[in-house]
Amino acid sequence: MNQEATTRPPLPDHLSVDPRSPHHVAAVFQHDIGIRFNGTERHDVEEYCLSEGWIKVAAGKTVDRRGRPLLIKLKGQVEAFYREA
């Protein structure tokens, strides 16, 4: 195991890519994160919760009045991991 792997912060139970969210952890996003949902790796996850078993993804190109994408919640088996370089 290399030095970079030992300095990674633990992945939180609830994480959001939105910097305005209370569940945003900037230190985690300095590394490449992967999300596996129901056995398939997803690249469009905006937010996840491991303990409750859900992810939020953008609903197509639909946006709210502030220009942020509308999110839909999908329930299933969620696994978060750091990708290897």
Side-chain angles (χ1 to χ4, degrees), residues 25-61:
V25 181
V28 171
F29 289 106
Q30 294 176 355
H31 307 282
D32 197 16
I33 301 169
I35 303 294
R36 199 169 287 119
F37 181 68
N38 290 337
T40 305
E41 191 168 341
R42 302 279 306 242
H43 301 284
D44 60 346
V45 177
E46 298 282 328
E47 189 173 348
Y48 74 78
C49 183
L50 298 174
S51 63
E52 295 178 13
W54 56 262
I55 62 172
K56 287 187 179 180
V57 295
K61 297 184 182 208

Side-chain angles (χ1 to χ4, degrees), residues 6-81:
T6 59
T7 59
R8 294 176 179 166
L11 287 170
D13 176 61
H14 191 159
L15 185 66
S16 174
V17 298
D18 185 2
R20 296 175 298 251
S21 171
H23 301 291
H24 181 79
V25 181
V28 171
F29 289 106
Q30 294 176 355
H31 307 282
D32 197 16
I33 301 169
I35 303 294
R36 199 169 287 119
F37 181 68
N38 290 337
T40 305
E41 191 168 341
R42 302 279 306 242
H43 301 284
D44 60 346
V45 177
E46 298 282 328
E47 189 173 348
Y48 74 78
C49 183
L50 298 174
S51 63
E52 295 178 13
W54 56 262
I55 62 172
K56 287 187 179 180
V57 295
K61 297 184 182 208
T62 310
V63 294
D64 66 7
R65 63 181 175 212
R66 294 182 183 94
R68 294 185 293 231
L70 288 179
L71 303 177
I72 57 172
K73 184 187 282 189
L74 304 174
K75 293 185 177 238
Q77 184 181 5
V78 181
E79 178 187 349
F81 58 93

